Amino acid sequence: MNKAEEIKEIIKGLTPEEVLAVLAKSYEGEIVFSTSFGWEDQVISHMIFTKNLPVKVFTLETGRLFPETYYVWNRTLETYQKPIHTYFPDAALLQEFVSAKGPNSFYESVENRKSCCGIRKVEPLNRALKGQKIWITGIRADQSANREDMDWVEWDEAHQLVKVHPIFHWTLEDVKKYVAVNNIPYNPLHDKGFPSIGCAPCTRAVREGEDFRAGRWWWEDQSKKECGLHDLEAKS
């Protein structure tokens, strides 16, 4: 039995709140939660902050976020009075990339877009996860076809840790109900057709009937669109 299977067995049958409490107690100082301030992440932040769980909450400040994302970020700080650790892109890497390619080169090719995501997201994430044993995320199975193939507890080979998705089996309606019942601050873009929110230049509202993540990197092939944060092979 590998580490992910071992942890899965321990937390099997528990509610998301119970999962977080058990893991926080067992891995204090070695457990982190990554938030991008979307609906799902706000739910988990609420669970962590209201129970004063010793889980380090962090976010990636890409430099290209929506004003509405900064709004909910501030509202979250005001509401819970808890720190959200922030990781910025490496200034030298970003300066070199933008100087050579331009500020919007990600529209020109998938290679450029992945390079931009690598600098603005993946490299800072690697720093945030260094030395950790448990990575909590807000991933849900029905967010994309790619994520349906994931498990709610899995081994991340690239970062050498276990990823746990406490609300993996929740529906979007479950998430929205929890947000409403608990009066959790959320990104107002969600009410304007943005179910998944990333960097402003790379995100649009989705149309009726479109996939949950159709608005992300909308100019690219729709079959599999991830930035590398949740690609188990991502090492850049």
Side-chain angles (χ1 to χ4, degrees), residues 14-191:
L14 301 182
T15 66
E17 291 93 339
E18 291 168 341
V19 166
L20 291 168
V22 167
L23 293 178
K25 182 178 180 180
S26 300
Y27 293 93
E28 185 170 353
E30 299 174 312
I31 178 172
V32 293
F33 167 57
S34 56
T35 179
S36 57
F37 304 102
W39 265 320
E40 294 82 2
D41 294 342
Q42 289 298 95
V43 164
I44 295 178
S45 289
H46 176 85
M47 294 175 179
I48 292 171
F49 290 150
T50 55
K51 298 299 183 181
N52 292 309
L53 298 179
V55 177
K56 179 180 177 180
V57 177
F58 75 88
T59 192
L60 306 178
E61 164 54 297
T62 67
R64 302 298 297 265
L65 302 178
F66 283 96
E68 291 87 348
T69 301
Y70 293 114
Y71 161 79
V72 74
W73 184 344
N74 268 325
R75 287 281 292 111
T76 303
L77 292 172
E78 292 166 359
T79 299
Y80 301 104
Q81 297 293 303
K82 301 289 186 181
I84 297 173
H85 301 269
T86 309
Y87 290 82
F88 290 81
D90 180 277
L93 290 176
L94 185 58
Q95 181 173 293
E96 181 181 0
F97 177 75
V98 174
S99 295
K101 301 284 189 175
N104 290 331
S105 64
F106 40 81
Y107 292 131
E108 298 170 7
S109 69
V110 173
E111 179 183 7
N112 282 354
R113 196 270 293 171
K114 287 187 175 180
S115 293
C116 187
C117 286
I119 293 169
R120 294 183 186 274
K121 296 182 178 182
V122 179
E123 190 277 331
L125 177 72
N126 291 342
R127 282 186 270 123
L129 296 179
K130 187 175 181 180
Q132 302 299 320
K133 291 187 177 178
I134 304 290
W135 175 15
I136 304 295
T137 87
I139 286 176
R140 292 186 301 104
D142 67 4
Q143 288 174 327
S144 70
N146 184 45
R147 294 182 176 186
E148 287 177 351
D149 296 331
M150 300 169 67
D151 198 353
W152 77 286
V153 180
E154 56 188 347
W155 176 252
D156 186 318
E157 183 66 26
H159 299 106
Q160 293 291 296
L161 48 64
V162 176
K163 290 175 68 175
V164 180
H165 320 302
I167 61 172
F168 188 72
H169 299 294
W170 282 26
T171 66
L172 180 57
E173 288 309 308
D174 291 333
V175 172
K176 291 165 72 173
K177 181 179 179 181
Y178 189 94
V179 167
V181 168
N182 292 282
N183 196 29
I184 298 172
Y186 68 90
N187 195 318
L189 288 176
H190 287 314
D191 293 330

Side-chain angles (χ1 to χ4, degrees), residues 1-17:
M1 182 180 293
N2 62 36
K3 194 63 179 177
E5 292 171 341
E6 179 184 320
I7 289 175
K8 187 175 181 180
E9 191 63 26
I10 293 171
I11 60 178
K12 182 173 62 176
L14 301 182
T15 66
E17 291 93 339

